[in-house]
């Protein structure tokens, strides 16, 4: 005799626990630098902007590629926050959260934070951006 309860349907569980106000994370992977991750992200951003969504370019590294830089046309660019270190800026989480865009572009997130805080700060940025607007307040 089997006393185990029947296993719930995973798709039904996901639907019952989905929070329509929580953000979604989309990651562009590539085998190496220069394969088109940023380009693909910006093409998607332009498609979403054309559909009427508010797209904010939080951090985008064009690496001086003209074709990539051209895809920033028409997107709102978030000014970077200065860190106090010479010539070093980073993603301004507080400004991004205050703006409440539908989409935030964050390119090369691991490279845009102060070295000593790179992992904790990247995690905080992602967690804060994915939370519902009513729960995410600038810190």
């Amino acid at each position: 005799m089997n006393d185990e309860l029947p296993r719930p349907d995973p798709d039904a569980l996901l639907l019952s626990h989905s929070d329509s106000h929580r953000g979604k994370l989309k990651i562009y992977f590539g085998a190496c630098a220069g394969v088109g991750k940023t380009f693909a992200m910006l093409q998607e951003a332009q498609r979403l902007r054309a559909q009427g969504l508010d797209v904010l370019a939080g951090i985008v590294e064009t690496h001086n590629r003209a074709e990539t830089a051209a895809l920033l046309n028409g997107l709102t660019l978030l000014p970077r926050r200065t860190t106090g270190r010479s010539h070093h800026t980073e993603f301004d989480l507080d400004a991004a959260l205050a703006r409440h865009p539908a989409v935030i572009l964050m390119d090369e997130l691991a490279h845009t934070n102060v070295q000593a805080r790179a992992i904790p700060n990247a995690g905080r940025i992602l967690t804060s951006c994915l939370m519902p607007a009513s729960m995410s307040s600038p810190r």
Side-chain angles (χ1 to χ4, degrees):
M1 178 158 58
N2 188 356
D3 291 336
E4 291 183 30
L5 295 173
R7 184 175 177 189
D9 176 36
D11 292 326
L13 284 174
L14 285 173
L15 285 174
S16 69
H17 289 88
S18 69
D19 183 353
S20 62
H21 300 289
R22 186 173 175 95
K24 293 175 179 51
L25 176 64
K26 186 171 192 174
I27 299 174
Y28 293 84
F29 285 107
C32 61
V35 296
K37 298 175 295 290
T38 301
F39 195 86
M41 177 184 70
L42 290 172
Q43 284 180 317
E44 175 73 4
Q46 289 292 354
R47 186 184 68 75
L48 294 172
R49 185 180 72 86
Q51 292 177 356
L53 289 176
D54 179 21
V55 178
L56 177 65
I59 292 281
V60 176
E61 297 292 344
T62 64
H63 301 287
N64 297 317
R65 293 181 180 110
E67 304 84 15
T68 304
L71 286 172
L72 285 169
N73 290 338
L75 298 177
T76 303
L77 303 176
L78 181 70
R80 294 184 185 194
R81 184 174 70 87
T82 58
T83 64
R85 290 175 54 199
S86 178
H87 306 298
H88 191 274
T89 60
E90 66 183 11
F91 177 74
D92 190 342
L93 176 60
D94 294 338
L97 293 177
R99 177 111 168 10
H100 299 290
V103 176
I104 302 174
L105 306 178
M106 291 188 289
D107 190 27
E108 301 201 22
L109 184 60
H111 303 290
T112 60
N113 298 291
V114 177
Q115 184 70 22
R117 312 183 320 203
I119 300 302
N121 200 33
R124 177 178 163 246
I125 288 170
L126 290 176
T127 302
S128 297
C129 288
L130 293 171
M131 288 189 340
S134 61
M135 294 178 64
S136 60
S137 61
R139 298 177 210 322

